[in-house]
Amino acid sequence: MATHTQDPGAPDPSYLTFWRERHLCTLTTPRPDGSPHVVPVGVTYDPEARLARVITNGSSSKVAHVRAAGAEGARVAVCQVDGRRWATLEGRAFVRTDPERVAEAVRRYAERYERTPAPNPARVVIEIELTRAMGQG
């Protein structure tokens, strides 16, 4: 069986390149009943900080699911696929409202997706502290 494990803090160059290309991703969060909630999102990957970031509205279901997990954070996954290339990042998610952290997430989003999102005073960032990375870039 082939292994596609990556070090989330030091991925292979092709894996990192894949995460820097413009791709729609999915975020999977646990609902209170334990079932998966999967939604399309934009994701940025920062291996040096071992973080993935998702900007979103503070009133979204994904934010509610992460907050419901409490101080230990929610176990989540983000994924992207393009033909035979795929990548998944897993870790503990936390909702951050600090303006500097949100601004950094917006900056990274604008860089990856080549567009700056409209201002949103209710915007937050879901930061995922990465524990696992897999895929084939």
Side-chain angles (χ1 to χ4, degrees):
M1 177 195 246
T3 179
H4 299 289
T5 302
Q6 296 281 331
D7 177 346
D12 292 342
S14 63
Y15 188 81
L16 185 56
T17 297
F18 185 40
W19 274 107
R20 291 189 170 145
E21 295 170 4
R22 188 180 190 278
H23 293 286
L24 187 61
C25 303
T26 60
L27 168 67
T28 304
T29 57
R31 291 186 181 103
D33 69 1
S35 65
H37 177 254
V38 184
V39 295
V41 294
V43 176
T44 62
Y45 175 31
D46 180 357
E48 294 81 20
R50 295 180 73 98
L51 287 176
R53 296 176 178 92
V54 175
I55 56 174
T56 187
N57 195 299
S59 64
S60 70
S61 294
K62 56 189 158 289
V63 167
H65 297 153
V66 171
R67 285 185 169 146
E72 291 186 16
R75 292 180 64 192
V76 305
V78 290
C79 184
Q80 66 181 23
V81 64
D82 181 37
R84 301 184 93 175
R85 299 183 305 157
W86 63 277
T88 300
L89 300 170
E90 298 178 16
R92 294 272 177 188
F94 301 89
V95 177
R96 309 293 190 200
T97 59
D98 176 71
E100 289 80 24
R101 288 176 112 138
V102 173
E104 177 63 8
V106 168
R107 183 191 70 75
R108 288 175 179 272
Y109 177 95
E111 182 178 283
R112 181 177 189 197
Y113 291 97
E114 300 175 346
R115 72 172 198 83
T116 301
N120 177 355
R123 180 174 289 130
V124 299
V125 58
I126 296 173
E127 287 186 347
I128 304 164
E129 296 178 359
L130 301 174
T131 57
R132 182 179 295 162
M134 335 176 244
Q136 184 173 334

